Amino acid sequence: MLKKAGKDIPTKSGTKTNPKSQKEVPGQMLDKASKEIPTTSGTKSQIMMRLEKMVEESDIMHGAIRSVDMDEGVFVIAHSELIAKEDMQQLFEHEELGIAVIHTYIWYMYDTLMRGTELCNRFNFIAASRINTTFITKNPTSVMNELVDRFMVAGDNTTPSLYFLPFNLCSGHWVLVAMDLSRLMVYYLDSLPGDWSKYPSMKKTVDAAILKFRSKKNYRNRKDITWVRVQCPQQNNSIDCGFFVLRFMRDIIALNRIDIPKMVWNNNLGFILILSDISSNLLLNHEYVLFS
C-alpha cells in the first residue's frame, strides 16, 4: 500500500526556502558529475549521528508534522507533502520509502540542482501519487489521460527532455520510468532483475499516453516507441528500491544527459551511501523539515 504521511493529522506549516541561483550542471562522466552535487561535510557515521540527534530533538517525533509546500516548478501544479514521524522512521529504521519521502526528495533536487538553470527545460517530474499500478488497475484510461495532460503542459516537447516517473507497483516496489517524447524513447531503471515485461499494464499505459499526446499535437510517429532497460546497481534486500530510484534520478540530472546510456553506473551504490546522501542533504540542508 502506498503511504501518505500525516493523513488525518492537523498540519503545522514550515518555512519555505528562498530560490537560489544555481550554476548549470555540465554533462560529464558520472564520477566527476557527482562532485557538482551539494554534500554534507563529515564522515558517514558523523553525519548519521548528527541526524539522529536532530530527529530526537524535533517535536516531529512526538506527533507534530511539517507541510512541505512545493511550487508549480516541481510537478507543474502546486503540491504539498506532509512529513510526519513515520517518514523519519522510514529513513532511520531502514524501511521502505513512501510517497511523502519520494516527493520531498524530488522537491529537494529541483530546489538545489535545477531551479533557475537550463536543467528545468531538460528534466521534468511526474507525481507518483497520481500515476501508479493501483490507479491503472482501477481506471487505466484516466491514468493515461493524466499523463497526457502532464505532457501537454510542457509545450511542444520537440526539444529532447526527460520525464521522470517514479512508479510504485502493487507490491510496493519502486521503479523509475524516464520518457523522452521527442525521440519516442522510454528508459526503464529497476534495482531488481527483470524488465518492463513484468508489468504489462504499466507499459501499455505509458505507450498509449505518449501516442495520444503526439496525436493531439499532430506529430508524425516515425517509428515505434523503444524501451531500454538501463543496467542499474541492484539492491541486495527487499526494501531499498525507493532509495535507488531517488539516486538514479539525481545521478542522471548530474550527468545532464537525455539519452541515458545502457550502462551508467560502474559499481553498486550501496545502501549506506544512498541513505547518508538522501538523509543528510534533505534534512541538514532543510532543517525546517524537522524544526518549525
Side-chain angles (χ1 to χ4, degrees), residues 4-12 63-65 82-86:
K4 172 66 177 175
K7 185 177 180 181
D8 300 327
I9 305 176
T11 60
K12 185 173 183 181
I65 70 169
L82 301 179
I83 299 296
K85 178 179 179 180
E86 67 184 70

Side-chain angles (χ1 to χ4, degrees), residues 2-206:
L2 303 179
K3 296 181 180 180
K4 172 66 177 175
K7 185 177 180 181
D8 300 327
I9 305 176
T11 60
K12 185 173 183 181
S13 299
T15 343
K16 292 184 179 179
T17 53
N18 293 322
K20 299 178 181 178
S21 175
Q22 300 288 332
K23 294 182 179 180
E24 177 182 337
V25 180
Q28 49 191 320
M29 295 301 292
L30 185 59
D31 57 346
K32 296 180 180 179
S34 299
K35 297 177 182 178
E36 301 292 329
I37 301 174
T39 56
T40 303
S41 60
T43 65
K44 297 292 186 296
S45 58
Q46 290 173 335
I47 292 171
M48 296 309 294
M49 287 174 61
R50 291 169 61 194
L51 286 170
E52 289 171 0
K53 187 174 187 300
M54 288 176 63
V55 170
E56 289 173 0
E57 294 175 351
S58 171
D59 60 358
I60 202 170
M61 301 307 289
H62 302 284
I65 70 169
R66 300 288 181 270
S67 176
V68 180
D69 300 320
M70 310 175 194
D71 59 50
E72 291 84 352
V74 184
F75 296 119
V76 174
I77 58 175
H79 181 86
S80 293
E81 204 64 64
L82 301 179
I83 299 296
K85 178 179 179 180
E86 67 184 70
D87 303 294
M88 296 297 103
Q89 290 173 331
Q90 289 170 17
L91 291 175
F92 294 100
E93 296 181 14
H94 194 176
E95 300 174 351
E96 292 183 5
L97 296 186
I99 284 181
V101 176
I102 297 289
H103 281 177
T104 303
Y105 193 72
I106 287 174
W107 158 77
Y108 165 77
M109 289 189 293
Y110 176 84
D111 194 49
T112 57
L113 299 180
M114 296 172 54
R115 188 187 296 278
T117 76
E118 61 90 24
L119 295 177
C120 291
N121 299 321
R122 293 173 63 79
F123 301 102
N124 309 276
F125 299 104
I126 298 174
S129 57
R130 305 173 73 87
I131 311 290
N132 54 61
T133 299
T134 301
F135 290 159
I136 289 177
T137 301
K138 292 180 178 179
N139 194 336
T141 301
S142 175
V143 175
M144 179 195 67
N145 290 331
E146 181 84 31
L147 271 175
V148 173
D149 291 343
R150 175 64 181 88
F151 297 153
M152 295 292 290
V153 172
D156 60 10
N157 282 290
T158 55
T159 302
S161 63
L162 278 182
Y163 286 83
F164 289 127
L165 170 60
F167 193 86
N168 194 279
L169 305 162
C170 289
S171 61
H173 180 57
W174 288 99
V175 300
L176 179 63
V177 178
M179 296 162 279
D180 180 348
L181 305 184
S182 66
R183 296 172 177 161
L184 291 176
M185 298 285 294
V186 179
Y187 299 96
Y188 178 85
L189 297 93
D190 192 344
S191 56
L192 288 179
D195 61 19
W196 56 86
S197 61
K198 296 188 295 183
Y199 316 111
S201 63
M202 175 195 69
K203 182 180 185 300
K204 182 178 179 180
T205 302
V206 169

